[in-house]
Amino acid sequence: MSSQMIHLSAARREGTLRGRAMQPHPMSAPASPAARAAVCTLCGGGEAVRLFVKVGWTFVRCTGCGLVALRPAPTAAQLAAHHEASYRAGRYAVFAAAETVRTAVAQYRLANLRSLAPTGPWLDVGCSTGALLAELAHDGIAAEGLELSAAAVAQARARGFVVHEGTVERFVPSRRYAVVSAFDLIEHLLDPAAFARHVRGWLLPGGVFVLTLPNATSVMARLMGRRWYYHAPPDHVHGFTPETIRRLLETTGWAAVTVRAARKPLTADYVVEQLAHSNPALARIARGTTAIVPRRWRARPWSLPLGEMLVTARPAGS
């Protein structure tokens, strides 16, 4: 694989990469605007190593900085349509319906952030149906959410939460926040650097930016390879490591960046349901294995090392 270098040309953006083995493609002519748009979003490099193909999408690693990405990337329209469909009948529908899991995840995250988060209003970007907003409200913290999915926004608003519908690019807050969280989000974005720059303008002085995201060099990622749960195209456009997420934040105006391993509390029943969408063969094995486990154990959240990172940062100069 390492010898198969990809020059990300306009022709390959039109579909040569998807679902096929890739051959070296030297470019002698100057790059077209479409080719220039295919460069790495982190370092601007135009060469990458092919890693693997999964469900028709090709994963590559930038040779300049190590960022993993889909090439060609999905369009914004494709992502929006996929995201909405997933909330209605896909893997996110499973998440939205798993009340025990959503509550356990929100409680775990808030417990890990209480000592790090300054006092003041909180914005949860990608808030889904509002599980974290519920925990924040329970703690007496004024909180709002931002969510792309109309279906999720409707459910969150029905629970009485203030949730804005739309993209991060178009969101204009009416106030500044002490904390902006983006859990399981930045890997979905076509332009994560632009998002990081946007958030800086949403924070109060001394505010904190908090993220969770998959770690593409985690033990679980290395063990599972292309079958890793978080290699999930087209949902996950980019794959970060501790080094690449730190570089992205530091080059977009952030300082005091900390990266640590994070776990996620999930039930066995929930894991099986999610595997049915991402890895049906493994789901059949897991279903057979968990069938002999007592129901009370299958329904209990277990804190699992899936290969995630918890990242915090503050605006540079604050």
Side-chain angles (χ1 to χ4, degrees), residues 127-194:
C127 67
S128 183
T129 56
L132 181 66
L133 299 181
E135 296 304 316
L136 292 168
H138 185 266
D139 274 15
I141 299 172
E144 302 172 17
L146 175 62
E147 172 59 47
L148 180 64
S149 168
V153 169
Q155 292 182 53
R157 288 176 177 171
R159 300 173 69 186
F161 303 128
V162 177
V163 177
H164 310 277
E165 180 183 345
T167 64
V168 295
E169 295 84 3
R170 296 189 177 186
F171 177 61
V172 180
S174 59
R175 62 175 172 177
R176 300 293 181 93
Y177 305 94
V179 181
V180 173
S181 56
F183 297 126
D184 306 333
L185 174 70
I186 201 165
E187 65 272 20
H188 295 261
L189 303 180
L190 292 171
D191 192 348

